Amino acid sequence: MSERGARRALLIGLLIGASPACAEPSVTILDLPFRARALRGPGSEVAIAVATSGLLPLARSRSADPATPEPEAPIAVVWGDAGGAALSLVDGQVTTTLLGAEAVDGLATAETPRGALPGSRRAVSGPLSVHLADPRPALAGGPEQAGALVIRERQPVAMGGDPKPVPIVTTTLSAAPDAAFALRRPRIARLDGKPVVLAVTVAPAGGAALALFAKAEPGAAASGAAWTLMARGPDQAAGPGGQPLKPAAIADFSGSGRPQIAAVAAPDGAGQLQLWALEAGALRLVRAAPGYTNVSPGEGEVDLAALVEPEREGAPELALPIADRSAVAILSLKEGIRERSRAALPGLAAFGLASLGRGPAARLLVGLADGRIAVVTP
């Protein structure tokens, strides 16, 4: 090779070596004709209701080439006082289908069923639904709390004959003597093939703890639908603003086949992201890292954390804001807590965070304090 050719090859090699392994996250603002105040991600009760309500085929698309998703397609839903929209991912782009704010608000009312704690949201998974009830003053000051966790389970109905009402078995659980439930949306997951419910309890002194409830084994109670406390974590003090521990997600972050619980302690203070595992009937803290949050002052029970699912097999990652809500971090929790990337936002994360798509093709939607929706391309 000539000297000139060698220099050219060396230059190309240096340029390739200097290229980053992956591009930095980019952030754009979604073009919406209204200021949003609520955001719900794929799989949420509102997103499923919108996708199956018949609203989408009649809606007007904002894209030049309308690509209205099918009812079963994963969508996110945003809305405000002046309008609403269904958001879907088509060819790597977030497309917008406008909806009436009144229609979305009407579907969203189901998130807080009759008898539920005002301002709370229920969790739904298959035949199970769970909500907080029995409002009571905070035991140690701070946000309102609940005296009961209500689990409702639809029962099978025999086929044939006249239409029959669907029987529902209701179980009402208390936190513990002199304790209460924090205003934290319950979570439903499956552990060893069985459903479990995650809630947050508050002790008289104000410390909050994760509490995991499971269905009693058949024969352990008169009713096969009885539920009982499976495990409870240690009490943890609230942050300076009084916000208790808040779950972020339940997933198999380690890739071991068993789900773990990601939660943020003192979310309005140091913001310690924690990973918990159920081992030998007890919740054990696996690892922790400060500097993250999943709460927004004055925004109630919004979801400020989302899973970023892998494109194929593998462990999911977790996206959530940093402590001051000025950026969104994407973290791997498989071996330690490792921040894979961080995207600065053009405003503070406030009323929601959701993920569309999988792997490198995923897009994060972030509701900002000024009513805009930021789209983060990891």
Side-chain angles (χ1 to χ4, degrees), residues 240 265-272 289-292 323:
D268 52 353
Q272 187 179 62
Y292 304 97

Side-chain angles (χ1 to χ4, degrees), residues 13 15 37 73 119-120 156-157 167 181 185 202 205 213 237 241 277 296 316 332 356 368:
L15 289 173
R37 56 176 169 81
S120 67
V157 178
F181 290 100
R185 181 169 63 91
V202 182
F213 297 88
S296 177
S332 169
L356 289 174
L368 303 179

Side-chain angles (χ1 to χ4, degrees), residues 3-19:
E3 183 178 351
R4 182 178 180 182
R7 288 179 178 177
R8 184 179 180 184
L10 178 61
L11 179 60
I12 292 174
L14 289 173
L15 289 173
I16 292 174
S19 299

Side-chain angles (χ1 to χ4, degrees), residues 38-59:
L39 166 64
R40 300 290 187 267
S44 65
E45 192 168 1
V46 172
I48 293 172
V50 168
T52 57
S53 64
L55 290 172
L56 294 183
L58 302 177

Side-chain angles (χ1 to χ4, degrees), residues 63-261:
S63 62
D65 180 18
T68 302
E70 296 297 324
E72 66 273 10
I75 65 169
V77 179
V78 298
W79 70 96
D81 295 333
L87 310 178
S88 59
L89 193 60
V90 178
D91 296 330
Q93 300 295 319
V94 177
T95 64
T96 303
T97 303
L98 297 181
L99 306 168
E102 298 82 2
V104 181
D105 260 331
L107 294 172
T109 58
E111 291 184 312
T112 306
R114 181 178 300 178
L117 192 73
S120 67
R121 293 168 52 196
R122 70 177 173 181
V124 179
S125 178
L128 282 179
S129 71
V130 188
H131 66 268
L132 298 172
D134 184 20
R136 58 178 58 180
L139 295 173
E144 186 180 43
Q145 297 166 356
L149 181 72
V150 181
I151 302 175
R152 306 178 80 236
E153 185 172 8
R154 298 196 308 270
Q155 303 298 301
V157 178
M159 300 296 291
D162 297 330
K164 304 177 183 64
V166 177
I168 297 177
V169 174
T170 301
T171 303
T172 302
L173 301 172
S174 61
D178 300 324
F181 290 100
L183 183 55
R184 298 293 185 229
R185 181 169 63 91
R187 307 279 179 140
I188 301 174
R190 298 194 72 83
L191 187 63
D192 297 329
K194 301 175 183 178
V196 294
V197 172
L198 176 69
V200 176
T201 61
V202 182
L210 297 173
L212 203 58
F213 297 88
K215 202 169 182 180
E217 293 293 334
S223 170
W227 289 71
T228 185
L229 179 67
M230 172 189 287
R232 192 195 307 271
D235 289 339
Q236 301 188 66
Q243 289 279 4
L245 177 76
K246 183 176 181 180
I250 304 175
D252 180 14
F253 292 108
S254 66
S256 64
R258 288 181 62 84
Q260 298 162 309
I261 301 168

Side-chain angles (χ1 to χ4, degrees), residues 238-308:
Q243 289 279 4
L245 177 76
K246 183 176 181 180
I250 304 175
D252 180 14
F253 292 108
S254 66
S256 64
R258 288 181 62 84
Q260 298 162 309
I261 301 168
V264 180
D268 52 353
Q272 187 179 62
L273 175 62
Q274 301 176 335
L275 189 66
W276 295 82
L278 181 67
E279 298 178 358
L283 285 172
R284 182 178 73 86
L285 180 62
V286 178
R287 55 184 66 100
Y292 304 97
T293 189
N294 56 349
V295 301
S296 177
E299 294 294 340
E301 269 300 273
V302 300
D303 293 320
L304 270 186
L307 293 176
V308 181

